[in-house]
């Protein structure tokens, strides 16, 4: 997509979505567009993503059916701790992020859902060595009448 003529971030983002929507429609499939955040979020005490953080701002949001985010609390807590210089800074970090934990939990949530609830949010575990997000929900075993009792596979 050639967005060199676009004057602002929103115009650049919109220049990408038109062809991608056409692709989705012609192939009858979903298309995922990964979009970066602008730097405004990292300047807040709590950098949890909000719609205004989206690159392209409000104009870019109009074309999207869904806007989701991944938020690694431990990553942001560590980043803020690394630049904290006073006791007051550390107290504010503790208030915003809570106590430090060993487990690297991730929030995956929706900021906009055109055809559903934008309030969905789930916690997952981040497995850093494999760059993998793992569900914290343990699936229940489903009884299969074709499987002999006591056998999993």
């Amino acid at each position: 997509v050639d967005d060199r003529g676009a004057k602002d971030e929103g115009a650049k983002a919109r220049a990408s979505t038109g062809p991608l929507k056409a692709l989705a429609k012609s192939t009858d499939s979903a298309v995922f567009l990964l979009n970066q955040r602008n730097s405004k979020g990292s300047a807040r005490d709590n950098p949890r993503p909000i719609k205004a953080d989206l690159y392209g701002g409000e104009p870019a949001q109009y074309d999207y059916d869904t806007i989701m985010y991944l938020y690694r609390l431990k990553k942001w807590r560590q980043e803020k701790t690394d630049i904290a210089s006073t006791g007051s800074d550390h107290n504010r970090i503790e208030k915003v992020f809570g106590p430090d934990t060993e487990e690297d939990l991730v929030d995956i949530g929706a900021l906009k859902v055109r055809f559903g609830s934008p309030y969905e949010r789930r916690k997952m575990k981040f497995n850093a060595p494999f760059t993998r997000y793992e569900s914290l929900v343990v699936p229940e075993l489903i009884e299969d009448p074709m499987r002999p009792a006591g056998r999993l596979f």
Side-chain angles (χ1 to χ4, degrees):
V1 174
D2 184 6
D3 63 5
R4 287 176 282 178
K7 294 183 180 14
D8 62 22
E9 293 175 356
K12 288 179 183 180
R14 285 191 309 275
S16 300
T17 58
L20 291 173
K21 281 188 165 195
L23 172 68
K25 188 172 185 173
S26 68
T27 59
D28 195 28
S29 61
V31 173
F32 289 91
L33 173 65
L34 298 178
N35 198 336
Q36 67 189 37
R37 290 175 68 175
N38 60 33
S39 59
K40 294 175 190 169
S42 58
R44 292 192 305 270
D45 280 346
N46 186 347
R48 178 178 296 283
I50 59 175
K51 283 196 287 187
D53 294 340
L54 189 67
Y55 178 83
E58 200 170 314
Q61 298 171 25
Y62 294 127
D63 283 348
Y64 302 140
D65 291 333
T66 302
I67 300 172
M68 298 184 73
Y69 67 86
L70 294 171
Y71 176 65
R72 289 184 48 214
L73 186 77
K74 190 173 185 79
K75 175 214 178 274
W76 283 103
R77 185 184 211 291
Q78 185 60 51
E79 194 167 297
K80 294 287 187 179
T81 301
D82 289 347
I83 60 172
S85 58
T86 66
S88 173
D89 291 343
H90 288 284
N91 289 341
R92 189 169 48 251
I93 290 167
E94 189 75 21
K95 183 178 178 184
V96 170
F97 296 101
D100 195 9
T101 63
E102 288 297 315
E103 200 166 36
D104 195 355
L105 297 179
V106 177
D107 274 348
I108 181 170
L111 296 173
K112 174 186 175 182
V113 180
R114 190 176 309 260
F115 305 109
S117 171
Y119 303 106
E120 294 295 325
R121 193 163 93 184
R122 299 285 187 270
K123 289 228 181 277
M124 300 178 82
K125 181 180 177 186
F126 180 64
N127 188 338
F130 301 103
T131 316
R132 184 169 71 189
Y133 298 92
E134 300 171 348
S135 176
L136 295 175
V137 177
V138 178
E140 294 183 27
L141 292 178
I142 299 171
E143 290 298 320
D144 182 353
M146 302 304 287
R147 186 177 61 225
R151 295 214 32 204
L152 294 178
F153 301 101

